[in-house]
Amino acid sequence: MDSEMDQWLEMLRSPNVEDRLVAVKSLQHIGDEEIFTPLLEAVKDENPLVQKLAVTTLWELANPAAVPVLVDCLSSPVEDIREEAKSALGELVTPDHLLLMLDALLRDDINMQLNILFLLRKIHDVQCLPYVMPFFESPLPELRETAITTLRYLNQVERCEPALALMSDPEATVRRAAALTLGHLADAAIVPILCKAVTADPDWEVRRNAAKSLTTHANPDAIDALEQSAEDQHWQVRKFSLQALQKIAADRTLPLFIKALTDEYSDVRREGVIAMRILNNPIALTPLQQALDDPDRDVCIFAQRAIQSIQNSIQETSNA
């Protein structure tokens, strides 16, 4: 085995690319720690195929000592190498690598910064926050979007005022990410911002994400906005607005839930039925009976459950 390994190690130094590729592939099957150091050199090979194969092999060895070298690969001009390194680091990085990651984030390289911002989500450490926030003001929308998404994954962050400004970002992709992230924060100014977004943002995905975050906040102050967005032109906005209203259901919203039963999309009709079950108002029995004939089986099932729930409640009240 030693002589065989020596043969592959010698081929790694060959000027012939095919020899180096064969060597890395062969070492990949050996999987011994003795090949670790030669693989670190192979990662720096001039040929991208050799580099990527070496990265993959280091990934399979799962040795944390490879993390610094793999981090360097995140700035490779070759996308396949960057993606392979990012995938490997996604399994190898631990909180012990936080300082290494933060140092790499300071490098003036967009590929490095994008990938490190992504990988910080694996660590969740609130210490990342001062390093992430400057990217909210990056001139590059992809960095702003990635940074605001990473904020969502940091533990113990309840308030981050600079994040709120991204709901007015000129790029819809950034606003979409910001709308979801605001669902994870607790600042008092968030609900009015989300209410404005769910009704007025020109991008339907932003409106949908704002509705999702309002579901998390479950704030009665959002009822007016959600009643408006529950009649949005896009069905996903209507669906998630109804979900949000389920968290803060009030009798005033019953007509809206009844109207949802005639929506062309079954997902919206189902949310209307679920909302009526939560509201538990006997007035809903007649429209729910009609929903038993809905062409979508799930809507019928949820309608039957809602009817049963309301009837049980009426029975309990009459027996009291």
Side-chain angles (χ1 to χ4, degrees), residues 5 16 38 41 67 95 116 125 150 160 208 221 302:
M5 187 178 297
N16 187 299
E41 291 301 315
V67 168
I116 292 294
D125 199 314
T150 296
C160 183
R208 176 200 61 192
D221 292 342
F302 281 106

Side-chain angles (χ1 to χ4, degrees), residues 2-236:
D2 287 342
S3 60
E4 180 184 3
M5 187 178 297
D6 288 342
Q7 173 191 348
W8 303 133
L9 295 179
E10 182 64 30
M11 288 179 67
L12 270 180
R13 295 186 285 270
S14 169
N16 187 299
V17 173
E18 292 300 323
D19 286 347
R20 302 201 299 277
L21 281 170
V22 169
V24 176
K25 289 179 182 178
S26 301
L27 291 172
Q28 188 177 31
H29 296 296
I30 293 176
D32 194 286
E33 287 299 320
E34 290 182 39
I35 69 173
F36 181 73
T37 300
L39 284 172
L40 295 181
E41 291 301 315
V43 168
K44 303 172 185 177
D45 195 277
E46 62 184 24
N47 183 274
L49 292 176
V50 177
Q51 290 179 38
K52 183 181 177 183
L53 192 55
V55 168
T56 302
T57 307
L58 285 172
W59 182 2
E60 293 174 353
L61 287 177
N63 188 331
V67 168
V69 172
L70 292 173
V71 166
D72 288 337
C73 291
L74 297 176
S75 62
S76 170
V78 182
E79 183 179 1
D80 283 352
I81 294 174
R82 296 196 303 269
E83 289 300 313
E84 192 75 357
K86 182 172 76 170
S87 297
L89 288 166
E91 295 185 10
L92 294 177
V93 294
T94 68
D96 291 338
H97 299 116
L98 179 59
L99 293 180
L100 172 68
M101 306 284 280
L102 294 178
D103 284 342
L105 188 60
L106 298 176
R107 301 186 198 177
D108 187 17
D109 182 287
I110 182 174
N111 290 320
M112 177 67 74
Q113 292 168 339
L114 286 170
N115 286 312
I116 292 294
L117 285 169
F118 173 84
L119 290 166
L120 289 177
R121 302 171 196 174
K122 308 285 184 179
I123 297 179
H124 309 291
D125 199 314
V126 69
Q127 293 181 74
C128 301
L129 184 58
Y131 293 82
V132 172
M133 285 196 300
F135 291 98
F136 295 167
E137 299 180 2
S138 170
L140 302 174
E142 56 266 52
L143 280 172
R144 299 197 300 275
E145 177 190 357
T146 305
I148 191 63
T149 301
T150 296
L151 175 63
R152 196 184 312 161
Y153 291 83
L154 303 185
N155 293 334
Q156 301 175 323
V157 179
E158 294 188 353
R159 288 174 174 79
C160 183
E161 187 173 347
L164 308 188
L166 291 183
M167 284 303 296
S168 300
D169 196 275
E171 292 291 333
T173 54
V174 179
R175 299 198 307 278
R176 291 169 195 165
L180 288 177
T181 296
L182 293 193
H184 296 259
L185 303 179
D187 194 303
I190 287 175
V191 169
I193 292 174
L194 290 173
C195 286
K196 180 180 178 181
V198 80
T199 57
D201 196 281
D203 183 85
W204 73 264
E205 292 184 66
V206 175
R207 300 196 301 276
R208 176 200 61 192
N209 291 353
K212 288 182 177 182
S213 287
L214 285 170
T215 303
T216 304
H217 284 282
N219 191 316
D221 292 342
I223 288 181
D224 287 345
L226 288 168
E227 285 181 326
Q228 182 178 337
S229 61
E231 298 188 84
D232 191 273
Q233 62 183 356
H234 198 282
W235 71 270
Q236 288 197 35

